[in-house]
Each structure stands twice: as C-alpha cells, then as structure tokens.
Amino acid sequence: MGSLGSILRHLDDFYPLLKLKMAVRRAEKQIPPEPHWGFCYSMLHKVSRSFSLVIQQLGTELRNAVCIFYLVLRALDTVEDDTSIATDVKVPILIDFHRHIYDHDWHFSCGTKEYKVLMDQLHLVRTAYLELGKSYQEAIEDITKRMGAGMAKFICKEVETIDDYDEYCHYVAGLVGLGLSKLFHASNLEDLAPESLSNSMGLFLQKTNIIRDYLEDINEIPKSRMFWPRQIWSKYVDKLEDLKDEENSIKAVECLNDMVTNALMHVEDCLKYMSALRDMAIFRFCAIPQIMGIGTLAMCYNNIEVFRGVVKMRRGLTAKVIDRTKTKADVYGAFFDFSCMLKSKVDRDDPNATKTLSRLEAIQKTCRESGLLSKRNSFVREPRYNSAMVFTLVIILSIIFAYLSANRQK
C-alpha cells in the first residue's frame, strides 16, 4: 500500500489503494489446485504482479490461454536476456523455441531468481499449454515462432535507425498485441483486429518501458543491451551513456522529449483498437495498461529524473486507474487528461515542441470527437477535503496501518 504521507497528499487514493491491496490478496489465494496450473498462476504472480491482476477479470478459458501465452514469452525473453549464454548457443534456441513447447524432453536452465525457476519447471507450463484449445495453441505457437526469429535477428543487430527501433519493438511487443488479438478472436468474444492496430498497442507500451527504464538498463551489470535508437540520441550526445551525466542535462531532456514524442505516434491507433472491443472484461484488460502507459509518459516528459532515478506513477494513481477504468468514456478521459498534463510541460524552445504539440492535439481531438469526455472518471484532478475529513481519515489510516503491520508480523 502507498506510504501514509503520499496518501495524505492525495486523499482520493485511499479507497482505491485499499481495494487494490484486497484484490492482490484474493488473486494470490485463487491458485488452481492442479499442480501444473497452480505453478503457472503462482509464477505469473511472481514475474508480473500487475499483469496477473488485470487478467483475473477474464473468463477462465481465455484467462488460462493468456496466462500460458505470457509465461511462454517470458521464458523466451529469459533466454534472450541472459548475457551469459553464447550467441551461437542462444540463437538456435530462440529460433526453435516454438518447437520446444511441445517437447517433453527439452530443458535449458538459464536466468536468475524466479526466471530460473520458470525455465527449470517449464515442463509444467508445457503441460498446461497442451490442455488449451487447438486455436489457442496455434496462436501461441505462431507468435512464439515469429518473436523468437525476431529476437535472434537483433542479437546480432544494433538499433541504429528509427525503423530498427520500430522493428525491434514489433518483435518483442507488437507481436504480443497480435497474439492477444488472436486469442481474443479464438475465444469467440471479439473480431480479429487489424494487425497494424494490434501492433501499435504493443509498440506504445514497449516504447514507454524503454524510455522509463533508461537508467536501470544502462547501469545494469553485466551491461544489458540498450534500445534507444542512435538516429535519435546521436542528435544530442556522442554516446548514449552521456545522457546521464549532469553536464548534459539540457540535451538529455531534449532527447527524452524526442523519444516520448516518437511513442505518442501510436496513441491514436491504440484508441481506435480499444474503441472496437465489445467484451468489457477484454476491454478493461487492454485499457488499464494503455492508460498506465500514457500516464507514465506524462510523468517522464521533460523530467531530468529519468536520468537520475525511478520515474513512475504513484501507487495510489495506479490503484485509481485499475479501480476506475470501467467504460470507454474512462479511457478517452484518461488519455485526454494525461495528454493535457503532458502538454502543459512542453517548452516552446524544445526542438521537438511543434511535433509534440501536434501529436497531443491530434490525441485530444480524437478524445473530444468520441463525445464521451463529459461521462468520464478523472484520474488526475483531486477532490477537495475539509480539515475535519482529513483528521478523520488520518485516524482511520493509522488504525489500518497498525492492523496491517500486526498481520505482517504474525
């Protein structure tokens, strides 16, 4: 749960945070009894708690398919990320990974912590995979094959141009969007979305993560690969790591704003994709991460702290997004509000200001034309409270924090 000080500064966070805490506990207890499914859902909670929460609302059949899809791709990603594996060993594994999910005898130990556990127990994921419907299996196999080939290509290729950047993000995230669309279609709950829109859903989130994680990635030991395209960063510094040097602060922020502006090009496709969804559980599953994406970009834009530490949405705001994203009006409203926040941070002297403002105005125009802004929840504007309400809430929070602390010690 968020810190007491943060909650007192944002009193409207309290109830959503409490609901989120309860939802996490419920999710952790709803582990299927079958050993292989129990392992899969337990592992899902460990490798991505936020993702495990958003899939809980899906129906059982589709939820199982999405869970396995995520774990198979997470295993594939573990192979790609492990810098201790020689390239001549890694590349064939990536290319053939879609076959290994059918092979009971195949095993490859790599990764660390929970990812090593996932790889060591991959046979349990394989058992669950083989219980899925044929159409789900075919979708997962197809995307795994295409992603593995793309990852293998970029093991030996640097991200030089913006086209390279888009291609890499397609392989590692755009294909996830395509795969999810295939799973939604296989469930008979949605029509098959156009590939260009599905791809944009993945690219928007991947680019947001690449921007947000600059410092963590560049400081990683052993050194991880970086995916900021040279075509963008070389306009500002000689080496990518120079962006974190204090003397380059102005150029670093300009480069950051350039990267954010590039990510914004996918927003209109994302809104179009989500507006076509019919099933509300699938809609919320897709919408919550996308709202988190635009919110994160709003926090990162023009913010030198991206190169100094961790920049992300506060936990209470995340809880609000999860709790209050229920309708398409909420999505258009969130994108409108966060784009307004981002727009207010644009410096007219920034070299990309005109392009940034143009993209933000296009997003806001799409949101207005939906005709739904008047019906939205707001995640950004805070309600006002009088002193009596604040005092009462302080007492209540103190009791709850004491109760939760006592429970943790038992």
Side-chain angles (χ1 to χ4, degrees):
M1 201 157 173
S3 70
L4 182 57
S6 176
I7 295 173
L8 291 176
R9 287 191 298 273
H10 306 279
L11 294 175
D12 203 35
D13 291 357
F14 171 65
Y15 185 54
L17 273 168
L18 188 58
K19 290 178 72 173
L20 179 61
K21 184 98 175 166
M22 293 168 66
V24 169
R25 290 188 174 180
R26 280 198 305 271
E28 290 172 346
K29 291 177 181 177
Q30 292 174 346
I31 302 297
E34 302 87 350
H36 52 294
W37 283 109
F39 172 80
C40 290
Y41 277 97
S42 295
M43 185 54 58
L44 184 66
H45 294 319
K46 291 176 183 176
V47 298
S48 181
R49 178 172 288 188
S50 58
F51 184 79
S52 69
L53 271 179
V54 296
I55 77 163
Q56 290 299 320
Q57 62 208 298
L58 298 174
T60 303
E61 182 183 291
L62 180 57
R63 182 173 68 239
N64 286 344
V66 172
C67 172
I68 299 307
F69 181 50
Y70 184 87
L71 291 178
V72 168
L73 297 188
R74 178 56 70 187
L76 178 66
D77 191 56
T78 299
V79 176
E80 185 208 21
D81 282 347
D82 193 328
T83 56
S84 68
I85 306 171
T87 298
D88 60 342
V89 174
K90 181 182 292 189
V91 168
I93 293 174
L94 294 174
I95 292 172
D96 291 335
F97 205 86
H98 66 287
R99 296 191 181 97
H100 296 322
I101 56 179
Y102 291 97
D103 185 354
H104 286 280
D105 298 323
W106 185 83
H107 173 263
F108 187 79
S109 184
C110 63
T112 59
K113 299 178 181 178
E114 59 267 22
Y115 302 103
K116 185 179 188 306
V117 175
L118 173 62
M119 294 302 297
D120 288 342
Q121 301 296 322
L122 197 62
H123 64 281
L124 296 173
V125 179
R126 184 182 299 117
T127 300
Y129 169 77
L130 294 173
E131 291 182 3
L132 299 175
K134 191 67 175 174
S135 55
Y136 292 128
Q137 290 183 30
E138 290 171 351
I140 295 171
E141 180 185 358
D142 174 58
I143 296 302
T144 305
K145 178 180 180 180
R146 293 162 69 179
M147 186 179 289
M151 286 178 168
K153 177 179 179 178
F154 274 89
I155 290 296
C156 310
K157 177 181 173 67
E158 293 296 324
V159 177
E160 298 284 345
T161 67
I162 293 173
D163 285 343
D164 292 339
Y165 184 43
D166 286 341
E167 184 181 13
Y168 172 76
C169 290
H170 164 73
Y171 286 131
V172 301
L175 285 173
V176 178
L178 268 64
L180 287 171
S181 292
K182 286 173 176 271
L183 296 180
F184 300 157
H185 181 61
S187 72
N188 296 316
L189 294 171
E190 299 288 351
D191 295 328
L192 188 60
E195 286 203 0
S196 61
L197 301 187
S198 301
N199 188 57
S200 285
M201 291 283 284
L203 262 64
F204 180 64
L205 296 180
Q206 182 66 20
K207 289 183 176 184
T208 298
N209 290 340
I210 287 172
I211 292 166
R212 180 199 62 197
D213 294 340
Y214 167 86
L215 190 65
E216 178 184 343
D217 290 343
I218 207 152
N219 286 341
E220 188 173 300
I221 299 175
K223 184 75 73 179
S224 67
R225 298 184 67 218
M226 296 295 293
F227 297 99
W228 287 44
R230 180 183 293 272
Q231 187 178 343
I232 290 180
W233 62 257
S234 63
K235 293 186 288 183
Y236 305 96
V237 288
D238 294 329
K239 295 182 292 184
L240 183 56
E241 54 264 35
D242 292 345
L243 291 172
K244 65 179 181 175
D245 294 342
E246 195 167 337
E247 61 266 27
N248 295 322
S249 294
I250 294 174
K251 289 296 183 183
V253 168
E254 289 176 350
C255 181
L256 170 64
N257 294 346
D258 202 342
M259 290 286 289
V260 172
T261 301
N262 173 274
L264 292 173
M265 68 186 289
H266 304 292
V267 169
E268 289 171 89
D269 275 356
C270 294
L271 291 171
K272 188 172 182 180
Y273 179 99
M274 290 183 285
S275 71
L277 294 172
R278 299 191 304 263
D279 183 86
M280 291 313 295
I282 291 175
F283 168 75
R284 292 193 73 239
F285 170 83
C286 293
I288 289 169
Q290 296 294 325
I291 293 174
M292 297 291 293
I294 189 67
T296 300
L297 289 183
M299 304 296 172
C300 289
Y301 184 84
N302 213 37
N303 188 350
I304 190 61
E305 290 304 312
V306 170
F307 305 100
R308 305 285 184 266
V310 179
V311 174
K312 59 183 179 180
M313 291 170 58
R314 69 179 189 276
R315 188 163 175 77
L317 187 51
T318 298
K320 276 187 193 175
V321 171
I322 294 172
D323 182 49
R324 298 180 184 178
T325 301
K326 294 182 171 66
T327 68
K328 293 178 182 180
D330 297 329
V331 172
Y332 283 113
F335 272 83
F336 185 84
D337 287 346
F338 281 121
S339 63
C340 286
M341 178 188 293
L342 204 159
K343 191 174 182 179
S344 71
K345 298 169 70 175
V346 176
D347 184 339
R348 297 284 176 168
D349 293 329
D350 185 274
N352 292 285
T354 300
K355 187 190 295 185
T356 307
L357 290 169
S358 176
R359 288 191 175 157
L360 290 171
E361 285 160 7
I363 293 167
Q364 291 176 348
K365 182 174 182 286
T366 299
C367 293
R368 288 191 193 96
E369 289 178 348
S370 72
L372 297 172
L373 290 184
S374 63
K375 302 176 183 178
R376 74 189 190 271
N377 278 312
S378 176
F379 305 117
V380 178
R381 293 189 298 275
E382 299 287 347
R384 295 186 178 184
Y385 298 91
N386 60 42
S387 56
M389 291 176 66
V390 172
F391 179 76
T392 303
L393 189 55
V394 168
I395 299 299
I396 295 171
L397 284 173
S398 299
I399 294 170
I400 291 173
F401 271 80
Y403 173 76
L404 292 174
S405 298
N407 273 358
R408 279 197 295 268
Q409 293 170 4
K410 288 181 180 179

